[in-house]
Amino acid sequence: MSPAAASLPDRLGGAPDGKRSLRLWLRMLTCSTRIEQTVSQRLRDEFGSTLPRFDMLSALDRAGETGLTMGEAAGMLMVSNGNVTGLAARLKADGLIEAMAGADRRVQRVRLTPLGQARFTAMARAHERWIEALFADLTAAEADDLTRLLERAKRSLHATTHEELNG
């Protein structure tokens, strides 16, 4: 065991190496949850907003003038069409997004309004500062290493089949 690994607290009661993946998942979950809680609280405190609203505005910002359909937004945000439709209705009521006229009236496409763009820009700047602060204890090399390792883990997750999980 490396000196760095030895210094990490083991909350699984000295679980054997077979539990390494479980420990890794729990640490990743703890970090992700803590970041999400912190960002959510800051969005509420500073902008009176929520993380789902920020995520929707972010997706629309990336889409640009072409906007997104509700289905495209749901896919990007990994939520149901119903969740996106309700979120879009609230963002429209606040003047942050607008519906776009389209050839197919069954497919609703939305994009940011100028107010939505300005609000998102301010939120995105603050969000970036918060994330920088949350990772400030990592050196640039450590952040690069962690990013590389997480990308590798992500590829592994996508490559794992249903049969392998049940095997």
Side-chain angles (χ1 to χ4, degrees):
M1 184 182 301
S2 72
S7 66
L8 294 174
D10 185 354
R11 296 198 174 148
L12 295 177
D17 285 346
K19 301 289 185 177
R20 181 178 288 121
S21 294
L22 180 58
R23 272 195 303 275
L24 172 61
W25 175 69
L26 290 171
R27 288 202 173 103
M28 288 173 55
L29 183 60
T30 299
C31 289
S32 178
T33 300
R34 182 70 180 127
I35 292 166
E36 186 174 334
Q37 288 171 343
T38 300
V39 169
S40 291
Q41 186 64 51
R42 298 301 299 261
L43 284 168
R44 276 191 301 279
D45 293 348
E46 294 188 28
F47 296 98
S49 190
T50 64
L51 192 53
R53 286 171 64 97
F54 175 80
D55 289 342
M56 179 73 162
L57 295 174
S58 178
L60 290 170
D61 178 68
R62 289 189 307 276
E65 284 297 311
T66 61
L68 295 171
T69 66
M70 294 297 105
E72 290 168 340
M76 291 176 77
L77 302 176
M78 295 184 286
V79 298
S80 72
N81 282 4
N83 285 346
V84 166
T85 300
L87 183 56
R90 291 185 297 278
L91 290 169
K92 272 191 235 169
D94 291 342
L96 301 178
I97 67 172
E98 63 187 0
M100 300 170 63
D104 187 347
R105 293 176 52 197
R106 295 169 296 170
V107 178
Q108 185 180 22
R109 195 167 203 89
V110 294
R111 68 178 169 203
L112 292 174
T113 63
L115 175 62
Q117 184 63 60
R119 176 71 58 89
F120 174 71
T121 298
M123 292 168 77
R125 284 186 188 127
H127 179 268
E128 186 175 351
R129 284 193 320 272
W130 303 332
I131 299 301
E132 288 289 331
L134 289 169
F135 287 103
D137 286 348
L138 295 177
T139 67
E142 289 169 335
D144 289 345
D145 287 346
L146 185 54
T147 300
R148 180 181 48 75
L149 291 169
L150 288 171
E151 182 57 39
R152 212 165 133 200
K154 181 179 170 184
R155 283 193 307 272
S156 176
L157 294 170
H158 285 291
T160 303
T161 66
H162 181 70
E163 290 76 26
E164 289 170 323
L165 290 173
N166 289 326

